[in-house]
Amino acid sequence: MPELSYRAQVADPTALTVLVVDDDDDMRELVTMKLELAGDIEVVAQAVDGPKAIEEFERLGAPPTPRVVVLDNRMPGMTGLDVAEQLIQRVPGQHIILFTAFVDDVVLASARAIGVTEVVSKSDINRLPELVRSLHGGGERRS
């Protein structure tokens, strides 16, 4: 399993840039492909777990910090909620889509309390490009 897949940073700080985080190689590649096939979304990096996600997020810096992070919740070591909390502490208002197979009231309440932007079931993968666009159109992140 590769540690991460990296693409060059885009020059346009207003571009629809995404960091994709999932410990399942096939799911991570499927999400990346789904987003990039939309045509106007650029996956600037991928990560296989929480620590690598934080590392990639910091490496990408600003600009362009990824406008959106698509983040699996159930991963070894750190949950997606743990990662989301750390990313939002680093960049308040960071757009995060928690993309998880297990959505329940506890996950929803925890995500809301942390400041996660959206919680989406993995069965709704077709909604991801639309959500990324809507978050981008929702204005600038708060800093």
Side-chain angles (χ1 to χ4, degrees):
M1 170 177 8
E3 287 192 14
L4 55 93
S5 173
Y6 164 70
R7 295 214 169 96
Q9 293 183 29
V10 292
D12 181 359
T14 64
L16 283 78
T17 54
V18 179
L19 166 61
V20 175
V21 185
D22 200 303
D23 61 319
D24 181 281
D25 293 341
D26 292 335
M27 182 56 73
R28 193 175 58 254
E29 289 302 320
L30 181 62
V31 169
T32 297
M33 185 173 55
K34 186 69 165 169
L35 292 171
E36 290 193 336
L37 284 174
D40 58 344
I41 299 169
E42 177 71 22
V43 175
V44 293
Q46 299 178 17
V48 299
D49 60 24
K52 292 292 181 192
I54 293 167
E55 181 181 309
E56 281 299 288
F57 188 83
E58 289 178 344
R59 183 189 61 76
L60 288 168
T65 298
R67 307 257 325 149
V68 178
V69 178
V70 176
L71 183 59
D72 183 23
N73 190 38
R74 290 195 175 181
M75 298 182 291
M78 292 177 78
T79 69
L81 290 170
D82 295 333
V83 175
E85 187 170 29
Q86 288 194 30
L87 296 182
I88 291 167
Q89 286 174 354
R90 285 170 170 75
V91 179
Q94 173 65 46
H95 294 306
I96 295 178
I97 298 172
L98 190 68
F99 188 61
T100 181
F102 306 97
V103 179
D104 60 25
D105 290 340
V106 173
V107 169
L108 290 172
S110 298
R112 198 172 302 120
I114 291 168
V116 169
T117 316
E118 295 279 346
V119 177
V120 178
S121 170
K122 286 189 176 180
S123 64
D124 289 334
I125 190 170
N126 291 331
R127 289 185 55 215
L128 286 178
E130 169 194 331
L131 284 172
V132 168
R133 286 186 197 106
S134 71
L135 294 176
H136 183 266
E140 294 297 314
R141 288 181 308 228
R142 295 164 298 190
S143 52

